[in-house]
Amino acid sequence: MTRFLVLARRFGPYRAFSDALSMHPGLRYGLVAVLPVLWIVVANIAPLARMVLISFYESFPLPPGETPTLTLAQYQAFFERPLYLTAFARTFIFAALATALTLFVIFPIAYYISKVVPRDKRLRLLLLAIAPFWISEIIRSFAWILMLANRGAVNSFLMWMGLTGRPVELLYNNISLTIGVLYLTSLYMLLPLYAALEKIDDRLIEAASDLGALRFTILRRIIMPLSREGIITGCVLVFLLVTGLYALPQLLGGPSNTLFASIVGQVFSRAGDSWPLGSAFSVILMGVSLAFVAIFMALFQSRRTRA
Amino acid sequence: MTPSSTPAIEVRNIIKSFGDMRAIDDVSLSIAPGVFVTLLGPSGCGKSTLLRTMAGFITADSGQVLIGGRDVTGLPPNARPVNMVFQDYALFPHMTVRGNVGFGCEMKGLSAQAREKRVDELLALVQLPELGHRYPDELSGGQRQRVALARALAPDPVSLLLDEPLGALDLKLRLDMQRELKSLQRTTGKTFVFVTHDQEEAMSMSDLIAVMRAGRVEQLDRPEVIYERPVSRYVAGFVGAANLLDATVESVDGDEIRIVSGAFSAVLPRSSVTSPGSIDRGTNVTLLVRPEHLRSSAQDGHTLELGGRITELTYLGNRVHVRFQTDDGRSLLADALAGDVAEIGERFTAHLRPGALALLRTSAEEQS
Amino acid sequence: MKTLGRLTLPVYFWLFVAYLFLPLLVMAAVGFRDSNFVAFPIQAWTTRWYQSVVFERDIMSSIWVSVKVALGATALSLIIGIPMAFFVAGLRGFRRAAMIAVIMLPAFLPVIVAAISLRMFIGVLGLQTGIGAIIFGHAVSTIPFVVVMILTRLGAMSPNLADAARDLGADEFIVFLRVTLPFLMPAIFGGAVFSMLLSFEDFVRSFFLGGFEPTFPVLLFSKLRFGFDPGLAAISTMVLVASIVIGLYAERFSRRRQLGNSSKIVALDQR
C-alpha cells in the first residue's frame, strides 16, 4: 500500500493534490470536516428540528396542496387529559427517586473498588461489576421476570423455606420496577463515581484522619466535595436514562405505574394523525428533562470543586 | 567556506506573524555546508519557528528558503532535503527501531535490500546495531535519541535540523550526547542546525551561534566572539556570566575613550567597542566585565582596580566565585583563585586589564 | 467492632455482585429445565433447549438481523466518527465545547425521543423502516462514543509524530495510513466493539425504526409479552455470554494497548 502511494507521487496531478494538502492545513481540515458537519446537521439537528416543527402541525402527513397551519392544539391536549399529566408527574418523581436510590446504593460500591481494594485488584472488580451491562435491557428484564414471577426463583425459594404459603406478588408493581431500573442504572452511576473517587489522593483522607476527623466527617467534608463532578455526571446520566425508559417498565412494571415514555410511544404508534401529538409529547419530555438537568447542574456545579 | 561555495541552507528576509505577534522579523541567514550552527535564545524568541520554516512545517508570510541553492519556499516538508530531530523524538511507537530508521528510505522508494543496508549502516553509526527489533517504548531516553538521529540521517539529507533534542535528557546524559552529536556531525560532514535555549550547550558544540531575540538574529558569529565581543547588552547577558556596568562616555580622544561609571573611571582603547554605531561624548554605554576579568592579584597590564566588600563566596574547588559590593553600591561577581580571598565582610580588590573589556552602546530600551 | 466495620464494605460489594449475577444464573439454569414451561425448583435437567433453540427459525433470523445491523452501524459510526474526531480536535475554546455538546446530544436525549424523531425523519432521507433505518439510528447513537474515544487517544498523540513522517517524505495519505491510523487503532478497535455491543443490545430504536424483520431484542420483547419457555432462557443465556465475553475481551485489549507504553518505560528505568 505504502509502496503504491510512494509510486503514485510520480503522477503529476496526484502529487500536486497531495502537496497542496501538505502545504495547506486549512484545506486538509476543510476536507476532513465535510462529512462530520453534514452528519451533524442531518443526524443530530435536523430530526429534532423536524420533530419540533411537526409538533405544531394539526395533522401529518399534510393533504396534498395544503399549506400547513401551525397550532398549539397538540400541546393543549397534553394539559387536558389527567392521564397524561399524572403519568408525566409520576415519571419525573420516579426518575428523581431512582436517581437518589442509585446514588445511595452505588456510592459505597464505587468507594470500595476505588479506595479500599488494593490497586492491582481494582480493575478486575470494576469489570466484574460492569460485565452485566453488555447485555440487552430486554434480556435483563427477562432474567428478572424469571426471578420475581409467581412461580419464579424468589417465590419458590420463599415457599421452600416455608416463609410463605402462597406466592408473594413481586412482579408487575413498584418493587419489580425499582429492582429492574436499579439494575439498568447502576453502571451509569458506577463509572463516573469510580473515575472521580479514583482521582482523589489517598493522602488527603489520611491527612484528614490524622487531624482526628471521624469517618462520617471525612466522607462529608473531603470525599463528597471532591467527587462532586462524578456524582453530578452520574446523576444526570441516570436521570435522563430513567425519563426515557420504554421497554423495561412495560415488562416489569404494572398498569398502575406506566411511565411517560411508554405513553409517548403508544400515542405515536396509534393509527391516524398521531405524529403531531407524539412529537408534541416528545418535545415536552425532552424539554423538561433537559431543563431539569440544566437546573440540577446549575445548582451544584457552580460552586468551585477544587481549591 | 569560500564565498563561491553554495550555502547548505539560506533564508532570505523571512517574516512570520501569528496574529499580532511577529515571531520572525525579517531574518536572513546563510549557512555554509558542514557547519554546526546553533540558534540560541530564550523561549519565544522565534528560534523554533525559524527552524520549522526551514523544514517546511511553517509557511512564512514572506521571504525565501533555499536548500543547497534550490528555492524550496513553495515546497511541502516531504519534498525538502532536510530532516528534523524533534524534542520529544516523535518516534513512531508502532514501528520497530528498524522500521523507524528505514521509514525515510521507504518514502524515497528505495528497494527493500538497499533500505536494509542503509538501516544497518545507520544503526552502526549511532552504536545501536543490536536493538533494531525493539520498539521505541522498550528503549531508554538516550537510545531513543540515537534512533531519532539515525532516522533523520537515513535519507541522506543536506542538513539536519535539531529542535532542542537534548532537553528531555538528564544532565549527565546530556553532556555525553553533546559530545556524541558533535562527533556525529564531524563524521557525517553534514550541516547541523541546532536550536537551544541553553547557552552552555550552544557554546560547547557550535561552530557558529546565532543569538536570537524577539524574532531577529542579534548576532551571528563564532562562540568565542559571541562571548568576548557581544554586539549588545542582551547578547552579553545571555551568554555566560557578566557584570554589566552602566557608564557614560566622558571624552573621546583619538584612539582613547574615557568612560565614567559611578566612582569608577577608565580609559579604554577604541577597539574595546563591540557594538555598531558611533561613540561620542555623552553616549550611554555599558561596560562588560566578565568575572574572570576581575583578578584577585595584579599582573602586567592590570592597570584598573575595582574594590568592595565581600557579600557572598561560592567555592568551586581551586576557584572561588566572589560577590562583592562596591562602595557606590553595585554588586559584582569575580572569579578568583581560592587562596587569594578573605572572608565575607572583608575588603576585596579586583584588578582588570583595559584591553580585555568590551564597551557597548546602551540602546534606548536598555537604559535603566 | 472494628473488624465488623472493615467487613461491611466487602460484604456489601459481594451482595451487589450477587444481585447482578444471580438473575443471570437463574436464567441460564432455566434453560436447562426439562419441561415446557418455567417453574422452580428445577427437578429434571436437559440440554435439549440449548440445542433445539438454535434451529428455531424466527430466533436465528432475528439474531442474523441483529448481527447485520450491528456490523453496519459499526462501519457507519467509524466512517463518520473518525473524521469527526479530527474535526473536533481542530477546534478550540467555545466552538469546541459547543460542537462537543451538539455531537453528544443523541447520547443524552431520552431514548424514546431519539427514536421517534429519527422515525419521523428517515422518510426525508428516502429510507423505509427496516434494516437500513435501524443502522442509521444506531449509528446516530454510537457515534458520540466513538468520537469521544478517538478524541481521547488523539489528545495523547504528539503533533510531532505526523510532522516527523511528513519530514521524512510522507504525503498526507501515507501519514494517515502509516502513522495516525495505527496510533489510533486501540481506540478505533474499542469504539468498534462498543458500537457493536450497543447496537446489538438496543431495543427502542430498533423497535421504532424496524420493519418486518425484527432484531433479536425486539423479537424477545414481543415473545415475552405472550409468555415464555425455557428455550428463550437458553438463547438469551447464549447471547448474554457472547456479549460479556466480547465486551471483556475488548476492554482488556484496548486497555493493554493504551497502558502498554508507559508501564514498560517504568519497568525499564527501574532496571
Side-chain angles (χ1 to χ4, degrees):
Chain A
M1 188 67 189
T2 313
R3 190 147 189 86
F4 171 75
L5 286 172
V6 169
L7 283 174
R9 287 183 62 75
R10 296 196 187 148
F11 177 55
Y14 171 84
R15 190 179 176 118
F17 178 58
S18 80
D19 279 2
L21 285 182
S22 297
M23 289 295 283
H24 305 288
L27 177 67
R28 211 151 71 212
Y29 188 64
L31 282 180
V32 166
V34 170
L35 208 52
V37 169
L38 222 59
W39 179 271
I40 288 167
V41 172
V42 167
N44 293 17
I45 298 173
L48 290 179
R50 185 170 157 86
M51 182 178 77
V52 173
L53 183 66
I54 289 179
S55 75
F56 290 110
Y57 282 177
E58 208 152 338
S59 64
F60 194 91
L62 298 167
E66 201 171 296
T67 49
T69 47
L70 300 183
T71 166
L72 285 172
Q74 316 297 350
Y75 290 91
Q76 276 163 5
F78 171 77
F79 291 101
E80 278 159 11
R81 291 277 302 272
L83 172 72
Y84 298 150
L85 279 174
T86 29
F88 189 75
R90 186 194 297 129
T91 299
F92 281 93
I93 294 169
F94 181 73
L97 290 176
T99 307
L101 176 72
T102 311
L103 176 62
F104 189 72
V105 170
I106 298 303
F107 195 90
I109 303 289
Y111 181 80
Y112 176 70
I113 302 178
S114 61
K115 285 277 155 280
V116 180
V117 167
R119 193 172 288 274
D120 54 326
K121 283 191 187 157
R122 281 180 199 167
L123 185 63
R124 229 175 296 160
L125 290 195
L126 187 69
L127 287 180
L128 188 67
I130 65 174
F133 299 95
W134 296 117
I135 307 161
S136 170
E137 177 185 353
I138 310 294
I139 294 183
R140 283 189 266 171
S141 304
F142 180 29
W144 276 107
I145 291 175
L146 295 174
M147 287 288 282
L148 301 174
N150 279 351
R151 303 179 65 182
V154 173
N155 269 319
S156 303
F157 179 74
L158 290 178
M159 289 197 285
W160 178 72
M161 293 278 287
L163 291 172
T164 174
R166 37 182 202 148
V168 185
E169 285 288 332
L170 295 171
L171 197 54
Y172 309 126
N173 55 28
N174 272 324
I175 302 172
S176 55
L177 184 61
T178 308
I179 291 178
V181 167
L182 182 64
Y183 202 84
L184 283 189
T185 53
S186 303
L187 167 84
Y188 296 89
M189 190 64 86
L190 180 59
L191 286 185
L193 279 185
Y194 174 81
L197 287 170
E198 241 258 310
K199 269 190 267 172
I200 300 178
D201 195 334
D202 286 343
R203 285 170 299 182
L204 278 179
I205 300 170
E206 281 162 24
S209 57
D210 257 9
L211 295 171
L214 290 171
R215 275 191 168 193
F216 181 71
T217 317
I218 296 177
L219 185 71
R220 199 170 57 85
R221 298 287 301 276
I222 310 278
I223 296 171
M224 296 289 267
L226 286 176
S227 54
R228 187 200 295 271
E229 294 288 329
I231 295 176
I232 291 173
T233 312
C235 287
V236 166
L237 289 177
V238 168
F239 186 84
L240 288 173
L241 181 75
V242 177
T243 55
L245 272 185
Y246 180 76
L248 183 128
Q250 293 188 36
L251 292 171
L252 293 180
S256 66
N257 40 37
T258 312
L259 295 185
F260 191 67
S262 306
I263 290 185
V264 174
Q266 281 160 21
V267 166
F268 180 80
S269 309
R270 217 157 48 192
D273 294 332
S274 56
W275 280 17
L277 189 61
S279 297
F281 280 26
S282 293
V283 171
I284 293 172
L285 179 61
M286 173 174 74
V288 175
S289 333
L290 293 182
F292 256 85
V293 167
I295 293 170
F296 179 78
M297 286 176 50
L299 277 181
F300 290 98
Q301 212 160 30
S302 56
R303 285 177 241 160
R304 286 190 61 94
T305 37
R306 272 168 245 287
Chain B
M1 277 229 254
T2 50
S4 64
S5 73
T6 325
I9 297 187
E10 194 180 351
V11 295
R12 294 181 186 157
N13 307 101
I14 294 283
I15 294 178
K16 176 69 187 176
S17 301
F18 297 113
D20 290 338
M21 215 269 293
R22 190 159 269 209
I24 307 180
D25 192 3
D26 197 11
V27 167
S28 297
L29 269 182
S30 177
I31 300 164
V35 172
F36 196 123
V37 187
T38 296
L39 306 181
L40 174 68
S43 62
C45 71
K47 56 191 191 303
S48 282
T49 310
L50 185 58
L51 195 75
R52 289 183 156 260
T53 309
M54 293 173 182
F57 299 128
I58 292 174
T59 312
D61 302 336
S62 65
Q64 284 172 294
V65 180
L66 289 86
I67 297 171
R70 190 161 65 104
D71 188 343
V72 298
T73 314
L75 291 181
N78 55 23
R80 297 189 182 195
V82 287
N83 287 131
M84 189 134 157
V85 177
F86 294 86
Q87 184 168 20
D88 60 358
Y89 316 137
L91 297 178
F92 307 125
H94 54 286
M95 295 182 202
T96 60
V97 167
R98 293 194 76 90
N100 268 285
V101 176
F103 190 82
C105 299
E106 201 183 338
M107 294 302 116
K108 280 180 138 185
L110 254 65
S111 73
Q113 263 178 320
R115 198 164 72 218
E116 293 303 301
K117 192 167 157 269
R118 182 76 182 140
V119 170
D120 285 332
E121 276 170 33
L122 278 145
L123 287 182
L125 184 69
V126 298
Q127 297 157 38
L128 292 174
E130 70 288 357
L131 295 185
H133 56 277
R134 292 240 188 127
Y135 283 89
D137 60 14
E138 298 165 334
L139 302 176
S140 71
Q143 289 169 335
R144 281 181 215 187
Q145 170 76 76
R146 289 162 202 233
V147 175
L149 279 167
R151 183 178 71 174
L153 283 168
D156 198 22
V158 169
S159 164
L160 216 57
L161 310 177
L162 304 104
D163 190 5
E164 306 217 22
L166 307 181
L169 303 175
D170 62 46
L171 184 65
K172 187 182 170 321
L173 202 52
R174 194 153 73 213
L175 295 177
D176 290 347
M177 280 311 295
Q178 283 177 12
R179 266 205 317 278
E180 261 183 66
L181 255 181
K182 184 68 198 157
S183 85
L184 198 63
Q185 192 258 336
R186 267 195 223 105
T187 26
T188 57
K190 299 242 178 267
T191 311
F192 277 31
V193 184
F194 186 92
V195 161
T196 186
H197 61 267
D198 183 337
Q199 49 99 4
E200 279 180 44
E201 199 166 278
M203 296 295 278
S204 67
M205 296 163 74
S206 321
D207 298 322
L208 288 173
I209 296 179
V211 182
M212 290 190 66
R213 175 198 199 183
R216 287 169 172 275
V217 174
E218 192 104 341
Q219 187 171 10
L220 170 68
D221 221 315
R222 297 195 311 279
E224 61 273 24
V225 178
I226 299 267
Y227 185 78
E228 299 287 349
R229 300 185 59 80
V231 295
S232 68
R233 197 177 161 126
Y234 169 81
V235 175
F238 196 77
V239 177
N243 298 302
L244 298 169
L245 306 180
D246 290 321
T248 317
V249 176
E250 204 177 57
S251 65
V252 181
D253 181 13
D255 195 40
E256 289 188 335
I257 301 172
R258 172 174 284 275
I259 57 149
V260 178
S261 173
F264 175 77
S265 70
V267 177
L268 303 174
R270 189 171 266 284
S271 61
S272 312
V273 180
T274 57
S275 60
S278 63
I279 299 267
D280 300 305
R281 190 167 183 273
T283 310
N284 286 314
V285 290
T286 302
L287 186 64
L288 165 63
V289 185
R290 297 284 181 197
E292 64 271 21
H293 294 153
L294 292 169
R295 294 290 180 82
S296 44
S297 58
Q299 284 164 11
D300 267 357
H302 287 76
T303 52
L304 296 171
E305 273 186 13
L306 265 167
R309 241 164 242 298
I310 300 175
T311 55
E312 200 182 305
L313 291 172
T314 312
Y315 288 94
L316 307 158
N318 61 333
R319 305 204 67 81
V320 59
H321 276 176
V322 183
R323 187 161 282 287
F324 62 99
Q325 191 159 36
T326 57
D327 301 331
D328 50 4
R330 283 176 295 198
S331 178
L332 300 178
L333 187 68
D335 183 43
L337 278 170
D340 292 351
V341 186
E343 298 293 315
I344 291 179
E346 293 185 12
R347 259 201 101 70
F348 175 80
T349 307
H351 308 269
L352 330 81
R353 192 164 57 84
L357 307 180
L359 196 61
L360 308 161
R361 267 178 71 96
T362 310
S363 65
E365 74 223 52
E366 283 165 347
Q367 274 169 29
S368 42
Chain C
M1 188 61 210
K2 205 147 190 196
T3 33
L4 194 69
R6 213 168 282 160
L7 274 177
T8 321
L9 271 179
V11 167
Y12 181 76
F13 175 79
W14 289 106
L15 278 177
F16 178 74
V17 171
Y19 162 73
L20 290 181
F21 283 92
L22 202 58
L24 306 179
L25 293 175
V26 164
M27 186 171 72
V30 167
F32 287 107
R33 183 181 155 84
D34 191 2
S35 163
N36 281 341
F37 52 94
V38 174
F40 290 90
I42 300 168
Q43 276 135 351
W45 299 77
T46 177
T47 57
R48 81 178 150 102
W49 291 110
Y50 279 91
Q51 289 161 1
S52 66
V53 76
V54 180
F55 297 104
E56 276 193 45
R57 220 202 189 137
D58 57 341
I59 288 181
M60 278 304 124
S61 74
S62 78
I63 286 184
W64 178 230
V65 169
S66 283
V67 168
K68 278 194 282 191
V69 166
L71 292 177
T74 302
L76 189 56
S77 49
L78 290 184
I79 291 170
I80 306 290
I82 293 172
M84 200 180 278
F86 282 96
F87 170 58
V88 177
L91 299 174
R92 292 282 167 273
F94 172 75
R95 283 190 196 181
R96 184 187 175 101
M99 196 46 76
I100 288 181
V102 175
I103 289 170
M104 292 305 290
L105 188 62
F108 281 94
L109 285 180
V111 187
I112 184 79
V113 177
I116 287 179
S117 67
L118 288 171
R119 170 64 191 91
M120 292 189 292
F121 189 73
I122 52 171
V124 178
L125 296 176
L127 281 173
Q128 300 280 315
T129 50
I131 291 183
I134 304 178
I135 287 177
F136 174 68
H138 285 184
V140 172
S141 66
T142 54
I143 281 174
F145 298 101
V146 172
V147 170
V148 167
M149 287 164 99
I150 296 179
L151 198 58
T152 310
R153 180 79 177 151
L154 212 48
M157 179 169 165
S158 158
N160 286 342
L161 224 47
D163 274 350
R166 286 186 191 111
D167 187 58
L168 292 164
D171 65 29
E172 294 309 311
F173 302 101
I174 298 179
V175 169
F176 184 73
L177 283 176
R178 290 291 304 278
V179 177
T180 314
L181 207 55
F183 187 88
L184 295 179
M185 219 48 211
I188 292 174
F189 178 80
V193 176
F194 195 75
S195 302
M196 230 181 296
L197 290 170
L198 222 55
S199 162
F200 199 85
E201 69 163 338
D202 173 77
F203 167 76
V204 182
R205 291 178 187 85
S206 310
F207 183 75
F208 281 95
L209 295 171
F212 298 107
E213 297 176 289
T215 64
F216 176 69
V218 172
L219 183 79
L220 185 63
F221 178 79
S222 59
K223 280 187 180 275
L224 285 179
R225 310 198 84 181
F226 302 105
F228 37 82
D229 59 30
L232 279 186
I235 186 68
S236 297
T237 305
M238 288 193 267
V239 168
L240 167 170
V241 170
S243 302
I244 290 187
V245 167
I246 293 174
L248 287 182
Y249 172 75
E251 174 75 28
R252 256 180 71 137
F253 176 84
S254 61
R255 208 170 273 266
R256 183 181 298 163
R257 288 284 295 265
Q258 302 210 357
L259 292 181
N261 297 1
S262 48
S263 59
K264 265 181 203 156
I265 297 169
V266 173
L268 239 146
D269 285 350
Q270 283 166 348
R271 223 174 270 162

